[in-house]
Amino acid sequence: MNCDTKCPAIRQVMFPKDTNPSGNIFGGIILSHIDVAGAIAARLHSKHRMVTVCMKEVVFKKPVKVGDILTCWTDVVAKGRTSVTVKIRVEAERHGEVIHVTDGEAIYVAVDSQDRPIALDSEIVTDNKGDIAPATPAAPTAPASTDEKSEKKGKKEKKEKKNKKGKKDKKGKKGKK
Ligand SMILES: CC(C)(COP(=O)(O)OP(=O)(O)OC[C@H]1O[C@@H](n2cnc3c(N)ncnc32)[C@H](O)[C@@H]1OP(=O)(O)O)[C@@H](O)C(=O)NCCC(=O)NCCS
């Protein structure tokens, strides 16, 4: 990991409530710490809410025990338009010894208020109540081309002529009666 960018996103003492039937810390608990640690690192790269889109292979190399201090080190390894990729290294401290437990990689995506991906560096848009509004409004419809405009004008003129003719015919019929 790059020492300039890595930071311990999480340090947590392991409690008995998180054990599996064999007395070690349940893998799902460690996965959730990996996910949260990566999300904390990813959040430093966007003002938007970040969601986990993918977690790559996680191999549990050593068991984690009750009383261990679990540390998740994070390192942002890639950034795309909407996504941030974070490597997470997990260590357990036990009786002064540091044990490398596992490594993981997770990808987080910045999303708007409607859970749609949004550019990491885009601004947050708020509505008139101050709530976060969808930041990607529908694109405005393109102005009509001159051909379309003249076609529409022609149709309008035809319609007006037809209406005038209809009124004249009605008047003529009334006069005959
Ligand atoms: C995350 C989510 C918004 C992405 O939506 P999407 O329609 O797949 O988005 P896109 O295809 O436009 O991809 C958006 C970004 O995610 C990346 N991405 C999408 N699927 C991916 C995958 N399986 N692996 C890696 N990256 C992925 C794309 O490469 C893209 O990154 P970039 O913009 O930096 O190039 C959507 O899948 C989602 O809501 N998932 C549920 C998230 C969730 O509930 N997580 C658990 C709790 S936080």
Side-chain angles (χ1 to χ4, degrees):
M1 279 192 189
N2 180 350
C3 294
D4 293 337
T5 56
K6 74 175 184 181
C7 71
I10 285 184
R11 266 172 79 73
Q12 170 91 48
V13 178
M14 297 289 105
F15 285 95
K17 68 176 174 57
D18 294 330
T19 51
N20 60 23
S22 61
N24 294 328
I25 301 300
F26 177 51
I29 295 291
I30 299 166
L31 278 181
S32 76
H33 287 305
I34 290 175
D35 191 14
V36 172
I40 290 171
R43 276 179 58 165
L44 298 173
H45 295 268
S46 179
K47 293 176 183 168
H48 298 284
R49 203 159 46 88
M50 305 293 290
V51 294
T52 315
V53 70
C54 151
M55 284 181 84
K56 301 215 169 142
E57 188 184 54
V58 176
V59 179
F60 297 106
K61 294 170 182 160
K62 296 275 170 139
V64 179
K65 311 263 182 191
V66 172
D68 286 358
I69 299 173
L70 197 81
T71 305
C72 296
W73 296 91
T74 57
D75 191 10
V76 170
V77 291
K79 269 168 76 175
R81 193 183 79 84
T82 66
S83 70
V84 178
T85 304
V86 186
K87 271 198 172 157
I88 303 109
R89 177 188 167 94
V90 185
E91 292 171 352
E93 270 177 61
R94 190 179 311 148
H95 312 303
E97 191 191 351
V98 176
I99 299 150
H100 180 196
V101 173
T102 182
D103 291 302
E105 190 175 286
I107 301 175
Y108 302 86
V109 177
V111 290
D112 69 10
S113 62
Q114 296 187 347
D115 296 326
R116 294 174 303 194
I118 187 166
L120 291 172
D121 54 3
S122 62
E123 285 302 316
I124 289 182
V125 178
T126 50
D127 62 17
N128 51 9
K129 289 181 203 156
D131 294 330
I132 294 174
T136 46
T141 47
S145 68
T146 38
D147 282 351
E148 278 173 340
K149 275 183 191 167
S150 52
E151 195 184 320
K152 273 185 187 171
K153 202 179 166 191
K155 275 185 186 171
K156 202 181 169 189
E157 280 170 2
K158 257 189 192 174
K159 209 177 172 184
E160 279 170 3
K161 265 187 192 173
K162 209 176 167 187
N163 283 346
K164 271 185 192 172
K165 198 178 170 238
K167 277 180 190 170
K168 264 187 191 173
D169 288 350
K170 268 189 186 173
K171 267 188 188 174
K173 274 182 191 171
K174 270 185 188 174
K176 275 180 191 172
K177 273 183 185 175

PDB file of all heavy atoms in Angstrom, residues 35 39 49-56 78-85 106-112 114-120, ligand 1:
ATOM      1  N   ASP A  35     -16.208  -3.119   4.390  1.00  0.00           N
ATOM      2  CA  ASP A  35     -17.102  -2.276   3.578  1.00  0.00           C
ATOM      3  C   ASP A  35     -17.157  -0.844   4.120  1.00  0.00           C
ATOM      4  O   ASP A  35     -17.018   0.134   3.371  1.00  0.00           O
ATOM      5  CB  ASP A  35     -18.497  -2.925   3.576  1.00  0.00           C
ATOM      6  CG  ASP A  35     -19.433  -2.289   2.563  1.00  0.00           C
ATOM      7  OD1 ASP A  35     -18.942  -1.541   1.693  1.00  0.00           O
ATOM      8  OD2 ASP A  35     -20.651  -2.536   2.654  1.00  0.00           O
ATOM      9  N   ALA A  39     -15.715   2.622   2.459  1.00  0.00           N
ATOM     10  CA  ALA A  39     -16.664   3.716   2.194  1.00  0.00           C
ATOM     11  C   ALA A  39     -16.157   5.029   2.798  1.00  0.00           C
ATOM     12  O   ALA A  39     -16.301   6.095   2.192  1.00  0.00           O
ATOM     13  CB  ALA A  39     -18.040   3.362   2.765  1.00  0.00           C
ATOM     14  N   ARG A  49     -23.424  10.952  -1.775  1.00  0.00           N
ATOM     15  CA  ARG A  49     -23.567   9.689  -1.067  1.00  0.00           C
ATOM     16  C   ARG A  49     -22.844   8.620  -1.888  1.00  0.00           C
ATOM     17  O   ARG A  49     -22.898   8.636  -3.115  1.00  0.00           O
ATOM     18  CB  ARG A  49     -25.061   9.390  -1.005  1.00  0.00           C
ATOM     19  CG  ARG A  49     -25.531   8.474   0.068  1.00  0.00           C
ATOM     20  CD  ARG A  49     -27.020   8.713   0.303  1.00  0.00           C
ATOM     21  NE  ARG A  49     -27.790   8.795  -0.914  1.00  0.00           N
ATOM     22  CZ  ARG A  49     -28.334   7.767  -1.552  1.00  0.00           C
ATOM     23  NH1 ARG A  49     -28.191   6.546  -1.084  1.00  0.00           N
ATOM     24  NH2 ARG A  49     -29.051   7.946  -2.639  1.00  0.00           N
ATOM     25  N   MET A  50     -22.153   7.697  -1.203  1.00  0.00           N
ATOM     26  CA  MET A  50     -21.449   6.633  -1.928  1.00  0.00           C
ATOM     27  C   MET A  50     -22.106   5.292  -1.591  1.00  0.00           C
ATOM     28  O   MET A  50     -22.411   5.038  -0.424  1.00  0.00           O
ATOM     29  CB  MET A  50     -19.981   6.563  -1.496  1.00  0.00           C
ATOM     30  CG  MET A  50     -19.202   7.850  -1.626  1.00  0.00           C
ATOM     31  SD  MET A  50     -18.928   8.410  -3.313  1.00  0.00           S
ATOM     32  CE  MET A  50     -17.779   7.222  -3.944  1.00  0.00           C
ATOM     33  N   VAL A  51     -22.309   4.474  -2.631  1.00  0.00           N
ATOM     34  CA  VAL A  51     -22.818   3.115  -2.366  1.00  0.00           C
ATOM     35  C   VAL A  51     -21.803   2.097  -2.869  1.00  0.00           C
ATOM     36  O   VAL A  51     -21.043   2.376  -3.793  1.00  0.00           O
ATOM     37  CB  VAL A  51     -24.198   2.865  -3.042  1.00  0.00           C
ATOM     38  CG1 VAL A  51     -25.275   3.739  -2.439  1.00  0.00           C
ATOM     39  CG2 VAL A  51     -24.130   3.051  -4.552  1.00  0.00           C
ATOM     40  N   THR A  52     -21.811   0.939  -2.228  1.00  0.00           N
ATOM     41  CA  THR A  52     -20.885  -0.126  -2.642  1.00  0.00           C
ATOM     42  C   THR A  52     -21.469  -0.807  -3.857  1.00  0.00           C
ATOM     43  O   THR A  52     -22.615  -1.272  -3.819  1.00  0.00           O
ATOM     44  CB  THR A  52     -20.755  -1.184  -1.520  1.00  0.00           C
ATOM     45  OG1 THR A  52     -20.605  -0.507  -0.279  1.00  0.00           O
ATOM     46  CG2 THR A  52     -19.615  -2.128  -1.767  1.00  0.00           C
ATOM     47  N   VAL A  53     -20.695  -0.874  -4.943  1.00  0.00           N
ATOM     48  CA  VAL A  53     -21.207  -1.589  -6.111  1.00  0.00           C
ATOM     49  C   VAL A  53     -20.589  -2.980  -6.188  1.00  0.00           C
ATOM     50  O   VAL A  53     -21.198  -3.909  -6.721  1.00  0.00           O
ATOM     51  CB  VAL A  53     -20.983  -0.800  -7.422  1.00  0.00           C
ATOM     52  CG1 VAL A  53     -19.524  -0.728  -7.814  1.00  0.00           C
ATOM     53  CG2 VAL A  53     -21.795  -1.382  -8.556  1.00  0.00           C
ATOM     54  N   CYS A  54     -19.391  -3.145  -5.624  1.00  0.00           N
ATOM     55  CA  CYS A  54     -18.726  -4.435  -5.799  1.00  0.00           C
ATOM     56  C   CYS A  54     -17.648  -4.649  -4.742  1.00  0.00           C
ATOM     57  O   CYS A  54     -16.965  -3.694  -4.342  1.00  0.00           O
ATOM     58  CB  CYS A  54     -18.151  -4.427  -7.207  1.00  0.00           C
ATOM     59  SG  CYS A  54     -16.715  -5.358  -7.515  1.00  0.00           S
ATOM     60  N   MET A  55     -17.560  -5.881  -4.236  1.00  0.00           N
ATOM     61  CA  MET A  55     -16.443  -6.240  -3.355  1.00  0.00           C
ATOM     62  C   MET A  55     -15.739  -7.411  -4.002  1.00  0.00           C
ATOM     63  O   MET A  55     -16.381  -8.402  -4.357  1.00  0.00           O
ATOM     64  CB  MET A  55     -16.949  -6.621  -1.958  1.00  0.00           C
ATOM     65  CG  MET A  55     -17.337  -5.396  -1.146  1.00  0.00           C
ATOM     66  SD  MET A  55     -17.910  -5.811   0.487  1.00  0.00           S
ATOM     67  CE  MET A  55     -16.364  -5.938   1.348  1.00  0.00           C
ATOM     68  N   LYS A  56     -14.438  -7.256  -4.183  1.00  0.00           N
ATOM     69  CA  LYS A  56     -13.696  -8.337  -4.849  1.00  0.00           C
ATOM     70  C   LYS A  56     -13.294  -9.391  -3.825  1.00  0.00           C
ATOM     71  O   LYS A  56     -13.495  -9.211  -2.634  1.00  0.00           O
ATOM     72  CB  LYS A  56     -12.499  -7.737  -5.554  1.00  0.00           C
ATOM     73  CG  LYS A  56     -12.944  -6.694  -6.569  1.00  0.00           C
ATOM     74  CD  LYS A  56     -12.097  -6.660  -7.791  1.00  0.00           C
ATOM     75  CE  LYS A  56     -12.778  -5.786  -8.836  1.00  0.00           C
ATOM     76  NZ  LYS A  56     -11.834  -5.003  -9.593  1.00  0.00           N
ATOM     77  N   ALA A  78      -7.895   3.699  -7.415  1.00  0.00           N
ATOM     78  CA  ALA A  78      -8.366   4.167  -8.733  1.00  0.00           C
ATOM     79  C   ALA A  78      -9.601   5.039  -8.558  1.00  0.00           C
ATOM     80  O   ALA A  78     -10.377   4.864  -7.605  1.00  0.00           O
ATOM     81  CB  ALA A  78      -8.688   2.970  -9.627  1.00  0.00           C
ATOM     82  N   LYS A  79      -9.727   5.976  -9.513  1.00  0.00           N
ATOM     83  CA  LYS A  79     -10.925   6.818  -9.539  1.00  0.00           C
ATOM     84  C   LYS A  79     -11.423   6.881 -10.968  1.00  0.00           C
ATOM     85  O   LYS A  79     -10.630   7.055 -11.900  1.00  0.00           O
ATOM     86  CB  LYS A  79     -10.568   8.239  -9.065  1.00  0.00           C
ATOM     87  CG  LYS A  79     -10.734   8.439  -7.568  1.00  0.00           C
ATOM     88  CD  LYS A  79     -10.119   9.705  -7.105  1.00  0.00           C
ATOM     89  CE  LYS A  79     -10.933  10.919  -7.446  1.00  0.00           C
ATOM     90  NZ  LYS A  79     -10.360  12.167  -6.868  1.00  0.00           N
ATOM     91  N   GLY A  80     -12.740   6.713 -11.154  1.00  0.00           N
ATOM     92  CA  GLY A  80     -13.325   6.857 -12.493  1.00  0.00           C
ATOM     93  C   GLY A  80     -14.197   8.099 -12.495  1.00  0.00           C
ATOM     94  O   GLY A  80     -13.985   9.010 -11.684  1.00  0.00           O
ATOM     95  N   ARG A  81     -15.184   8.137 -13.403  1.00  0.00           N
ATOM     96  CA  ARG A  81     -16.071   9.309 -13.458  1.00  0.00           C
ATOM     97  C   ARG A  81     -16.963   9.348 -12.223  1.00  0.00           C
ATOM     98  O   ARG A  81     -17.099  10.377 -11.572  1.00  0.00           O
ATOM     99  CB  ARG A  81     -16.936   9.271 -14.734  1.00  0.00           C
ATOM    100  CG  ARG A  81     -17.648  10.581 -15.029  1.00  0.00           C
ATOM    101  CD  ARG A  81     -18.515  10.452 -16.244  1.00  0.00           C
ATOM    102  NE  ARG A  81     -19.778   9.786 -15.941  1.00  0.00           N
ATOM    103  CZ  ARG A  81     -20.852  10.402 -15.447  1.00  0.00           C
ATOM    104  NH1 ARG A  81     -20.828  11.678 -15.222  1.00  0.00           N
ATOM    105  NH2 ARG A  81     -21.960   9.714 -15.198  1.00  0.00           N
ATOM    106  N   THR A  82     -17.520   8.163 -11.874  1.00  0.00           N
ATOM    107  CA  THR A  82     -18.443   8.118 -10.733  1.00  0.00           C
ATOM    108  C   THR A  82     -17.954   7.184  -9.627  1.00  0.00           C
ATOM    109  O   THR A  82     -18.568   7.126  -8.575  1.00  0.00           O
ATOM    110  CB  THR A  82     -19.847   7.637 -11.187  1.00  0.00           C
ATOM    111  OG1 THR A  82     -19.744   6.268 -11.618  1.00  0.00           O
ATOM    112  CG2 THR A  82     -20.412   8.494 -12.308  1.00  0.00           C
ATOM    113  N   SER A  83     -16.897   6.446  -9.879  1.00  0.00           N
ATOM    114  CA  SER A  83     -16.517   5.394  -8.922  1.00  0.00           C
ATOM    115  C   SER A  83     -15.129   5.597  -8.308  1.00  0.00           C
ATOM    116  O   SER A  83     -14.275   6.249  -8.897  1.00  0.00           O
ATOM    117  CB  SER A  83     -16.571   4.020  -9.610  1.00  0.00           C
ATOM    118  OG  SER A  83     -15.544   3.905 -10.549  1.00  0.00           O
ATOM    119  N   VAL A  84     -14.985   5.013  -7.133  1.00  0.00           N
ATOM    120  CA  VAL A  84     -13.702   5.040  -6.415  1.00  0.00           C
ATOM    121  C   VAL A  84     -13.388   3.604  -6.008  1.00  0.00           C
ATOM    122  O   VAL A  84     -14.242   2.911  -5.443  1.00  0.00           O
ATOM    123  CB  VAL A  84     -13.797   5.926  -5.136  1.00  0.00           C
ATOM    124  CG1 VAL A  84     -12.488   5.926  -4.374  1.00  0.00           C
ATOM    125  CG2 VAL A  84     -14.213   7.350  -5.475  1.00  0.00           C
ATOM    126  N   THR A  85     -12.171   3.153  -6.313  1.00  0.00           N
ATOM    127  CA  THR A  85     -11.760   1.797  -5.941  1.00  0.00           C
ATOM    128  C   THR A  85     -10.808   1.895  -4.746  1.00  0.00           C
ATOM    129  O   THR A  85      -9.834   2.649  -4.783  1.00  0.00           O
ATOM    130  CB  THR A  85     -11.050   1.096  -7.122  1.00  0.00           C
ATOM    131  OG1 THR A  85     -11.936   1.122  -8.244  1.00  0.00           O
ATOM    132  CG2 THR A  85     -10.676  -0.335  -6.794  1.00  0.00           C
ATOM    133  N   ALA A 106     -12.801  -2.930  -2.741  1.00  0.00           N
ATOM    134  CA  ALA A 106     -14.217  -2.600  -2.925  1.00  0.00           C
ATOM    135  C   ALA A 106     -14.345  -1.367  -3.806  1.00  0.00           C
ATOM    136  O   ALA A 106     -13.446  -0.513  -3.823  1.00  0.00           O
ATOM    137  CB  ALA A 106     -14.881  -2.353  -1.574  1.00  0.00           C
ATOM    138  N   ILE A 107     -15.444  -1.331  -4.550  1.00  0.00           N
ATOM    139  CA  ILE A 107     -15.684  -0.194  -5.452  1.00  0.00           C
ATOM    140  C   ILE A 107     -16.967   0.506  -5.008  1.00  0.00           C
ATOM    141  O   ILE A 107     -17.979  -0.147  -4.725  1.00  0.00           O
ATOM    142  CB  ILE A 107     -15.783  -0.664  -6.914  1.00  0.00           C
ATOM    143  CG1 ILE A 107     -14.475  -1.358  -7.308  1.00  0.00           C
ATOM    144  CG2 ILE A 107     -16.065   0.514  -7.850  1.00  0.00           C
ATOM    145  CD1 ILE A 107     -14.466  -1.978  -8.673  1.00  0.00           C
ATOM    146  N   TYR A 108     -16.883   1.819  -4.925  1.00  0.00           N
ATOM    147  CA  TYR A 108     -18.004   2.645  -4.448  1.00  0.00           C
ATOM    148  C   TYR A 108     -18.405   3.609  -5.566  1.00  0.00           C
ATOM    149  O   TYR A 108     -17.539   4.120  -6.293  1.00  0.00           O
ATOM    150  CB  TYR A 108     -17.591   3.428  -3.198  1.00  0.00           C
ATOM    151  CG  TYR A 108     -17.131   2.493  -2.088  1.00  0.00           C
ATOM    152  CD1 TYR A 108     -15.821   2.052  -2.029  1.00  0.00           C
ATOM    153  CD2 TYR A 108     -18.033   2.008  -1.151  1.00  0.00           C
ATOM    154  CE1 TYR A 108     -15.397   1.161  -1.059  1.00  0.00           C
ATOM    155  CE2 TYR A 108     -17.618   1.118  -0.175  1.00  0.00           C
ATOM    156  CZ  TYR A 108     -16.301   0.698  -0.139  1.00  0.00           C
ATOM    157  OH  TYR A 108     -15.904  -0.201   0.831  1.00  0.00           O
ATOM    158  N   VAL A 109     -19.707   3.862  -5.658  1.00  0.00           N
ATOM    159  CA  VAL A 109     -20.211   4.762  -6.713  1.00  0.00           C
ATOM    160  C   VAL A 109     -20.958   5.924  -6.060  1.00  0.00           C
ATOM    161  O   VAL A 109     -21.785   5.722  -5.150  1.00  0.00           O
ATOM    162  CB  VAL A 109     -21.151   3.987  -7.681  1.00  0.00           C
ATOM    163  CG1 VAL A 109     -21.749   4.915  -8.733  1.00  0.00           C
ATOM    164  CG2 VAL A 109     -20.403   2.857  -8.359  1.00  0.00           C
ATOM    165  N   ALA A 110     -20.673   7.130  -6.539  1.00  0.00           N
ATOM    166  CA  ALA A 110     -21.400   8.312  -6.053  1.00  0.00           C
ATOM    167  C   ALA A 110     -22.793   8.310  -6.693  1.00  0.00           C
ATOM    168  O   ALA A 110     -22.921   8.056  -7.893  1.00  0.00           O
ATOM    169  CB  ALA A 110     -20.654   9.582  -6.461  1.00  0.00           C
ATOM    170  N   VAL A 111     -23.809   8.532  -5.856  1.00  0.00           N
ATOM    171  CA  VAL A 111     -25.178   8.528  -6.393  1.00  0.00           C
ATOM    172  C   VAL A 111     -25.919   9.803  -5.974  1.00  0.00           C
ATOM    173  O   VAL A 111     -25.616  10.409  -4.946  1.00  0.00           O
ATOM    174  CB  VAL A 111     -25.987   7.288  -5.915  1.00  0.00           C
ATOM    175  CG1 VAL A 111     -25.486   6.023  -6.554  1.00  0.00           C
ATOM    176  CG2 VAL A 111     -26.010   7.170  -4.404  1.00  0.00           C
ATOM    177  N   ASP A 112     -26.916  10.168  -6.804  1.00  0.00           N
ATOM    178  CA  ASP A 112     -27.739  11.345  -6.487  1.00  0.00           C
ATOM    179  C   ASP A 112     -28.925  10.914  -5.623  1.00  0.00           C
ATOM    180  O   ASP A 112     -29.006   9.758  -5.182  1.00  0.00           O
ATOM    181  CB  ASP A 112     -28.166  12.071  -7.772  1.00  0.00           C
ATOM    182  CG  ASP A 112     -29.157  11.271  -8.613  1.00  0.00           C
ATOM    183  OD1 ASP A 112     -29.670  10.239  -8.136  1.00  0.00           O
ATOM    184  OD2 ASP A 112     -29.437  11.697  -9.740  1.00  0.00           O
ATOM    185  N   GLN A 114     -31.751  10.141  -6.345  1.00  0.00           N
ATOM    186  CA  GLN A 114     -32.569   9.065  -6.913  1.00  0.00           C
ATOM    187  C   GLN A 114     -31.745   7.809  -7.184  1.00  0.00           C
ATOM    188  O   GLN A 114     -32.101   7.006  -8.049  1.00  0.00           O
ATOM    189  CB  GLN A 114     -33.263   9.572  -8.170  1.00  0.00           C
ATOM    190  CG  GLN A 114     -34.221  10.691  -7.826  1.00  0.00           C
ATOM    191  CD  GLN A 114     -35.076  11.142  -8.977  1.00  0.00           C
ATOM    192  OE1 GLN A 114     -34.825  10.798 -10.122  1.00  0.00           O
ATOM    193  NE2 GLN A 114     -36.080  11.924  -8.680  1.00  0.00           N
ATOM    194  N   ASP A 115     -30.640   7.700  -6.472  1.00  0.00           N
ATOM    195  CA  ASP A 115     -29.769   6.519  -6.558  1.00  0.00           C
ATOM    196  C   ASP A 115     -29.172   6.296  -7.947  1.00  0.00           C
ATOM    197  O   ASP A 115     -28.878   5.153  -8.319  1.00  0.00           O
ATOM    198  CB  ASP A 115     -30.519   5.237  -6.095  1.00  0.00           C
ATOM    199  CG  ASP A 115     -30.894   5.310  -4.635  1.00  0.00           C
ATOM    200  OD1 ASP A 115     -30.129   5.904  -3.858  1.00  0.00           O
ATOM    201  OD2 ASP A 115     -31.969   4.794  -4.273  1.00  0.00           O
ATOM    202  N   ARG A 116     -29.024   7.384  -8.714  1.00  0.00           N
ATOM    203  CA  ARG A 116     -28.400   7.254 -10.030  1.00  0.00           C
ATOM    204  C   ARG A 116     -26.938   7.683  -9.922  1.00  0.00           C
ATOM    205  O   ARG A 116     -26.624   8.645  -9.202  1.00  0.00           O
ATOM    206  CB  ARG A 116     -29.100   8.157 -11.053  1.00  0.00           C
ATOM    207  CG  ARG A 116     -30.535   7.728 -11.331  1.00  0.00           C
ATOM    208  CD  ARG A 116     -31.206   8.720 -12.218  1.00  0.00           C
ATOM    209  NE  ARG A 116     -31.179  10.059 -11.638  1.00  0.00           N
ATOM    210  CZ  ARG A 116     -31.908  11.071 -12.062  1.00  0.00           C
ATOM    211  NH1 ARG A 116     -32.723  10.913 -13.079  1.00  0.00           N
ATOM    212  NH2 ARG A 116     -31.836  12.249 -11.481  1.00  0.00           N
ATOM    213  N   PRO A 117     -26.046   6.980 -10.663  1.00  0.00           N
ATOM    214  CA  PRO A 117     -24.628   7.369 -10.600  1.00  0.00           C
ATOM    215  C   PRO A 117     -24.455   8.838 -11.002  1.00  0.00           C
ATOM    216  O   PRO A 117     -25.151   9.319 -11.903  1.00  0.00           O
ATOM    217  CB  PRO A 117     -23.962   6.453 -11.630  1.00  0.00           C
ATOM    218  CG  PRO A 117     -24.909   5.339 -11.847  1.00  0.00           C
ATOM    219  CD  PRO A 117     -26.289   5.856 -11.573  1.00  0.00           C
ATOM    220  N   ILE A 118     -23.552   9.520 -10.321  1.00  0.00           N
ATOM    221  CA  ILE A 118     -23.320  10.939 -10.596  1.00  0.00           C
ATOM    222  C   ILE A 118     -21.816  11.212 -10.530  1.00  0.00           C
ATOM    223  O   ILE A 118     -21.110  10.550  -9.754  1.00  0.00           O
ATOM    224  CB  ILE A 118     -24.131  11.807  -9.600  1.00  0.00           C
ATOM    225  CG1 ILE A 118     -24.029  13.278  -9.978  1.00  0.00           C
ATOM    226  CG2 ILE A 118     -23.712  11.610  -8.152  1.00  0.00           C
ATOM    227  CD1 ILE A 118     -25.046  14.142  -9.265  1.00  0.00           C
ATOM    228  N   ALA A 119     -21.339  12.141 -11.328  1.00  0.00           N
ATOM    229  CA  ALA A 119     -19.898  12.418 -11.378  1.00  0.00           C
ATOM    230  C   ALA A 119     -19.380  12.767  -9.981  1.00  0.00           C
ATOM    231  O   ALA A 119     -20.011  13.541  -9.250  1.00  0.00           O
ATOM    232  CB  ALA A 119     -19.617  13.542 -12.357  1.00  0.00           C
ATOM    233  N   LEU A 120     -18.218  12.190  -9.637  1.00  0.00           N
ATOM    234  CA  LEU A 120     -17.644  12.378  -8.293  1.00  0.00           C
ATOM    235  C   LEU A 120     -17.492  13.849  -7.924  1.00  0.00           C
ATOM    236  O   LEU A 120     -17.773  14.252  -6.803  1.00  0.00           O
ATOM    237  CB  LEU A 120     -16.243  11.745  -8.238  1.00  0.00           C
ATOM    238  CG  LEU A 120     -16.144  10.223  -8.294  1.00  0.00           C
ATOM    239  CD1 LEU A 120     -14.697   9.810  -8.425  1.00  0.00           C
ATOM    240  CD2 LEU A 120     -16.778   9.596  -7.058  1.00  0.00           C
TER     241      LEU A 120
HETATM  242  C1  LIG B   1     -24.191   1.378  -7.889  1.00  0.00           C
HETATM  243  C2  LIG B   1     -25.283   1.641  -8.931  1.00  0.00           C
HETATM  244  C3  LIG B   1     -25.923   2.992  -8.688  1.00  0.00           C
HETATM  245  C4  LIG B   1     -24.563   1.639 -10.301  1.00  0.00           C
HETATM  246  O1  LIG B   1     -25.545   1.772 -11.246  1.00  0.00           O
HETATM  247  P1  LIG B   1     -25.236   1.351 -12.764  1.00  0.00           P
HETATM  248  O2  LIG B   1     -26.451   1.638 -13.548  1.00  0.00           O
HETATM  249  O3  LIG B   1     -24.652  -0.016 -12.784  1.00  0.00           O
HETATM  250  O4  LIG B   1     -24.138   2.404 -13.125  1.00  0.00           O
HETATM  251  P2  LIG B   1     -23.157   2.476 -14.342  1.00  0.00           P
HETATM  252  O5  LIG B   1     -23.203   1.264 -15.220  1.00  0.00           O
HETATM  253  O6  LIG B   1     -23.394   3.822 -14.973  1.00  0.00           O
HETATM  254  O7  LIG B   1     -21.726   2.479 -13.613  1.00  0.00           O
HETATM  255  C5  LIG B   1     -21.399   3.500 -12.696  1.00  0.00           C
HETATM  256  C6  LIG B   1     -19.981   3.251 -12.210  1.00  0.00           C
HETATM  257  O8  LIG B   1     -19.940   2.026 -11.481  1.00  0.00           O
HETATM  258  C7  LIG B   1     -18.980   1.149 -12.031  1.00  0.00           C
HETATM  259  N1  LIG B   1     -19.496  -0.203 -11.919  1.00  0.00           N
HETATM  260  C8  LIG B   1     -20.772  -0.608 -12.152  1.00  0.00           C
HETATM  261  N2  LIG B   1     -20.866  -1.930 -11.934  1.00  0.00           N
HETATM  262  C9  LIG B   1     -19.638  -2.356 -11.554  1.00  0.00           C
HETATM  263  C10 LIG B   1     -19.086  -3.627 -11.196  1.00  0.00           C
HETATM  264  N3  LIG B   1     -19.819  -4.735 -11.182  1.00  0.00           N
HETATM  265  N4  LIG B   1     -17.796  -3.683 -10.870  1.00  0.00           N
HETATM  266  C11 LIG B   1     -17.031  -2.590 -10.875  1.00  0.00           C
HETATM  267  N5  LIG B   1     -17.470  -1.348 -11.201  1.00  0.00           N
HETATM  268  C12 LIG B   1     -18.765  -1.254 -11.545  1.00  0.00           C
HETATM  269  C13 LIG B   1     -18.816   1.577 -13.473  1.00  0.00           C
HETATM  270  O9  LIG B   1     -17.567   1.205 -13.994  1.00  0.00           O
HETATM  271  C14 LIG B   1     -18.972   3.090 -13.366  1.00  0.00           C
HETATM  272  O10 LIG B   1     -17.769   3.681 -12.912  1.00  0.00           O
HETATM  273  P3  LIG B   1     -17.147   5.036 -13.589  1.00  0.00           P
HETATM  274  O11 LIG B   1     -18.278   6.009 -13.777  1.00  0.00           O
HETATM  275  O12 LIG B   1     -16.170   5.531 -12.588  1.00  0.00           O
HETATM  276  O13 LIG B   1     -16.537   4.618 -14.872  1.00  0.00           O
HETATM  277  C15 LIG B   1     -26.367   0.530  -8.905  1.00  0.00           C
HETATM  278  O14 LIG B   1     -25.811  -0.680  -9.394  1.00  0.00           O
HETATM  279  C16 LIG B   1     -26.935   0.334  -7.507  1.00  0.00           C
HETATM  280  O15 LIG B   1     -27.743   1.111  -7.053  1.00  0.00           O
HETATM  281  N6  LIG B   1     -26.510  -0.763  -6.842  1.00  0.00           N
HETATM  282  C17 LIG B   1     -26.935  -1.027  -5.470  1.00  0.00           C
HETATM  283  C18 LIG B   1     -25.967  -0.384  -4.482  1.00  0.00           C
HETATM  284  C19 LIG B   1     -26.211  -0.878  -3.077  1.00  0.00           C
HETATM  285  O16 LIG B   1     -27.329  -0.949  -2.640  1.00  0.00           O
HETATM  286  N7  LIG B   1     -25.122  -1.258  -2.401  1.00  0.00           N
HETATM  287  C20 LIG B   1     -25.191  -1.862  -1.095  1.00  0.00           C
HETATM  288  C21 LIG B   1     -25.394  -0.910   0.045  1.00  0.00           C
HETATM  289  S1  LIG B   1     -24.357   0.525   0.007  1.00  0.00           S
END
